[in-house]
Amino acid sequence: MTTGQTALLGVGVPLSGAWATPGNQKGIAQLAEGLGYHSLWTFSRLLFPLSTDDAEWTSEFEPAFNHGVAEPVTTLAQVAAVTDRVRLGFSVINAPFTAPAMLAKQLIQLDRISGGRLDVGLAQGWSQEEFTAAGVPMARRVARMLEYAEVMRRMWEGEIAEFKGEFTELPRTLVRPRPDQQTFPLLLGGSTPEAFARAGRLAQGWVSPGFVTLSDIVSATRGVRAAAEKAGRDPQAFRVVVRATTFLDTDQQALRPDGERELFRGSFEQVTEDLHRCWEAGATEIFLDFNFDPAIVGPDVTPEAARTRVTKALEAFAPMTAARPQG
């Protein structure tokens, strides 16, 4: 973490599995805000294919995905209505799946509902099945995502917007109502050097995938800030947001091929150590995401039991929101 920056701690909203009830979503959001957490986050998952050869759909995802993932925009709208201070973010929306003008309109309204608290993370998507369901070709998905982001930026920042590109066209239009924020708070996902460079050139920061290593964070921080500096932008102003896929129990530990423990899996003390290591590696913000832990989203876990478990975890980590480490 860069000297002088404050490291921030957020929370993933209940979004997958049986615990993602409207009551739990509102309750966890209000609890997190009351405990001093900085932000609340959702993610997008269009479907869970029942038959696929894609290696990305592994048993790691199954407990979270095959019991349903809530729609992220309407979920954050509900959360916005019951909170006042906490930032709201997407980590991430797969931009190619939605017409950009339609998504921009939704996000403008969400920003208004929240009083200007919205951060938007975008990515290009990776699942062929989801592209098929969305009716969009998977080819050149990065270029499509960036073009869609430009359409949304113009609608967000200008009262009159117009665009004509390779994948979409926005006729000259008056954009009203206006968002509360005057700039498009954009974060880009991706886990390659090219993705880090895109974030540094075109966005306000980078948001990590769900399963991340310390070396990923170091590489992203360097890549994003180097690209920002090369583009004539202030590299120290850029955000590195880490999605901490958290399995808070000693029997949920997992080892990588190199023998190291996976980040954010283990005891409370081990996860706390991981948070500090990630801040030191360059993260400016981390959010605890419990939406993949079988002890939270598994088929035999009731919404009430999951909420109780996460409530205890958030209370335990809460002191870190009041005394955030300084670089």
Side-chain angles (χ1 to χ4, degrees), residues 210-217 242-247 252 254-256 260-266 270-271 273-275 277-278 281:
F211 296 88
V212 70
T213 67
L214 284 174
S215 62
D216 293 334
I217 299 170
V242 172
R243 180 181 180 185
T245 306
T246 307
F247 296 70
Q252 293 294 341
L255 299 180
R256 301 200 312 268
E260 288 292 318
R261 179 177 54 85
E262 293 277 6
L263 287 177
F264 312 116
R265 300 194 190 192
Q270 288 172 316
V271 174
E273 178 187 354
D274 291 341
L275 292 172
R277 292 164 69 201
C278 288

Side-chain angles (χ1 to χ4, degrees), residues 18-103:
W19 89 304
T21 64
N24 275 358
Q25 289 165 346
K26 290 184 285 189
I28 291 295
Q30 290 174 316
L31 173 68
E33 182 171 70
L35 290 172
Y37 285 87
H38 173 70
S39 54
L40 295 163
W41 297 81
T42 63
F43 64 94
S44 62
R45 189 83 280 136
L46 185 59
L47 51 80
F48 181 84
L50 294 177
S51 177
T52 179
D53 296 325
D54 192 331
E56 293 283 357
W57 295 106
T58 67
S59 59
E60 192 82 65
F61 297 104
E62 185 183 9
F65 292 166
N66 69 359
H67 296 285
V69 175
E71 196 283 320
V73 178
T74 50
T75 297
L76 270 195
Q78 174 184 239
V79 166
V82 298
T83 56
D84 299 306
R85 173 198 58 80
V86 68
R87 294 288 300 180
L88 307 173
F90 297 104
S91 174
V92 288
I93 294 177
N94 291 317
F97 298 166
T98 306
M102 182 178 296
L103 181 56

Side-chain angles (χ1 to χ4, degrees), residues 147-162:
E147 186 172 294
Y148 283 18
E150 177 61 17
V151 174
M152 290 189 285
R153 185 191 67 78
R154 294 189 186 196
M155 292 183 65
W156 191 286
E157 296 181 357
E159 191 170 24
I160 296 176
E162 184 177 13

